[in-house]
Amino acid sequence: MTAPLLEVRGLAKHYPLKHGRIVRAVDGVDLALAPGESVGLVGESGCGKSTVARLVLRLIPPTAGSIRFEGRELTGLSDSALRPLRRHMQIIFQNPHAALDPRRTVFASVAEPLVVQGLAGRDLQARVARLLVQVGLPEGFLWRYPHELSGGQKQRVCIARALALEPRLLVLDEPTSALDVSVQAQILEFLQELRARLGLAYLFISHNLAVVRQVCDRVAVMYLGRIVEEGPAERIFGAPRHPYTRALVASVLPPRPAGLPEAPLAGDVPNAAAIPPGCRFAPRCPMRMDRCTREDPTLSGGTGHRVACHLHEAA
Ligand code: SF4
C-alpha cells in the first residue's frame, strides 16, 4: 500500500468557554490521503470540517492528536520548522473576492510566495506568467487588479498563487461556493484536470455532496466534530450506511439510492458545547435504539468503507 501523504490520528480542537464548558469543534478525527488522491470532507455547516482544514495546515494548533505529512509529525513544530513544509501544503479559501488584496496586481499576488523564496526580476515575471497560463488565464492578466476580474478568474488567480511553490497537497475549503453556478462547473472541471496533470492530492471541504461526487475518489462524512462514515465515493453515494449519510444523500442527490428514507434530515446540528451522550447523531436519528444514547459507536469496517453506527457493527 502507498505510504500516506497526509495522516491524521485522533485530531481534536477544543475551545474552553466560561463555567467549564468546552466547544468540541473537532473531537477525534482520523483521516489519511494517498499522494494524488482526492478526499472529500462533507457535512452540514458547523460540523467542524473547516476547522480540520486549518488544523491540518497548522494554521491553528490542535488540542490533541497527530498530523503527519510525508511521514513527518507536524504537531509541536515551531513556525520556523513548519515553514519549509508549508510550501508543500497550500489552501484555497471559499471566497476569492476576499482572498486577494484589491490594491495589488495579479502579478504581485501570485509572485508573493516566490519573492519570499528569493526569486526576482525576469525569472520571477516569467514564472508568474507560466503560472497564469497553467490556470487558464492569459499572460495579459499580470497587470490587472482584482476588480477587473470575474469571480472565476479571481479563484484561478488564487489557485495560481497556491501552485507557485509546487505543493503536493491542496486543501480546498468550499472553493466554488462563492461563485455563480455556471462558473462553479468550470472551476470544478479545471480542478479535476489540474489534479490529473500535476498529480496533486486534494482535501476537498464542502457541504455540497454533488460537488464532492464530481471531484473526489474518497469521501469522509463529518458530524459534530467526528467522522461518521468514510469510504470510496461510489459506495458513499451508491450505498451509504450511516443514517446521517443516508439522509444527506437522499436529500441532495436524485435519484435516491434504493431503500433510503423519504423523510429529510430533521432538526439542526446540536451545539458542539453540549454534545449528546452515546451516539452524537442519536437525537436526530430515525433508527435510534436504546443503546444509542448510552454507547458511543466507533468507526469500523473493512474494505476501506468504515462507519460509526451500532447498526453496522461486526457481530
Ligand atoms: Fe442512529 Fe444508533 Fe446508528 Fe447512532 S448508533 S446513527 S443513533 S442507529
Side-chain angles (χ1 to χ4, degrees), residues 228 241-244 278-289 291-293 295-297 308-313:
V228 296
R241 299 172 82 186
H242 193 283
Y244 177 61
C279 171
R280 50 192 70 198
F281 186 58
R284 301 171 79 191
C285 182
M287 312 295 288
R288 183 179 57 237
M289 304 170 284
R291 63 182 290 211
C292 297
T293 53
E295 297 170 34
D296 193 3
C309 172
H310 295 312
L311 291 171
H312 298 284
E313 285 166 346

Side-chain angles (χ1 to χ4, degrees), residues 89 166 224:
M89 314 160 70
E166 301 178 352
L224 208 52

Side-chain angles (χ1 to χ4, degrees), residues 153-168:
Q153 288 166 343
K154 283 181 199 168
Q155 194 59 301
R156 285 176 192 259
V157 171
C158 293
I159 294 168
R161 182 170 59 186
L163 294 178
L165 299 179
E166 301 178 352
R168 292 194 263 283

Side-chain angles (χ1 to χ4, degrees), residues 82-274:
L82 276 170
R83 203 166 297 129
L85 297 171
R86 281 211 170 107
R87 62 178 296 171
H88 303 306
M89 314 160 70
Q90 297 288 319
I91 187 165
I92 306 290
F93 291 106
Q94 175 177 1
N95 189 347
H97 312 290
L100 295 174
D101 184 336
R103 297 159 303 178
R104 310 185 80 189
T105 60
V106 167
F107 171 78
S109 288
V110 177
E112 188 180 14
L114 296 165
V115 171
V116 172
Q117 297 293 317
L119 209 62
R122 293 165 74 109
D123 288 348
L124 177 63
Q125 187 166 331
R127 177 87 179 101
V128 174
R130 278 203 303 278
L131 283 163
L132 285 198
V133 172
Q134 197 168 41
V135 299
L137 294 174
E139 276 189 52
F141 275 39
L142 276 179
W143 311 112
R144 292 200 181 183
Y145 286 88
H147 74 269
E148 299 174 281
L149 307 178
S150 68
Q153 288 166 343
K154 283 181 199 168
Q155 194 59 301
R156 285 176 192 259
V157 171
C158 293
I159 294 168
R161 182 170 59 186
L163 294 178
L165 299 179
E166 301 178 352
R168 292 194 263 283
L169 170 67
L170 275 191
V171 177
L172 299 133
D173 190 0
E174 305 269 11
T176 59
S177 61
L179 304 175
D180 292 342
V181 174
S182 59
V183 181
Q184 283 185 17
Q186 289 170 17
I187 293 289
L188 289 175
E189 204 171 301
F190 164 66
L191 286 170
Q192 285 172 284
E193 185 266 318
L194 190 72
R195 182 165 77 97
R197 184 157 34 103
L198 302 181
L200 294 166
Y202 288 169
L203 178 58
F204 199 101
I205 315 285
S206 183
H207 70 283
N208 186 332
L209 270 70
V211 164
V212 166
R213 182 160 68 166
Q214 190 178 335
V215 174
C216 297
D217 307 318
R218 223 151 39 82
V219 176
V221 181
M222 246 187 121
Y223 185 77
L224 208 52
R226 289 249 182 100
I227 290 173
V228 296
E229 186 164 6
E230 186 209 345
E234 70 270 13
R235 292 202 49 110
I236 297 293
F237 293 115
R241 299 172 82 186
H242 193 283
Y244 177 61
T245 314
R246 291 168 67 83
L248 277 186
V249 171
S251 65
V252 298
L253 290 182
R256 174 175 291 126
L260 288 196
E262 292 293 322
L265 196 55
D268 296 322
V269 180
N271 188 334

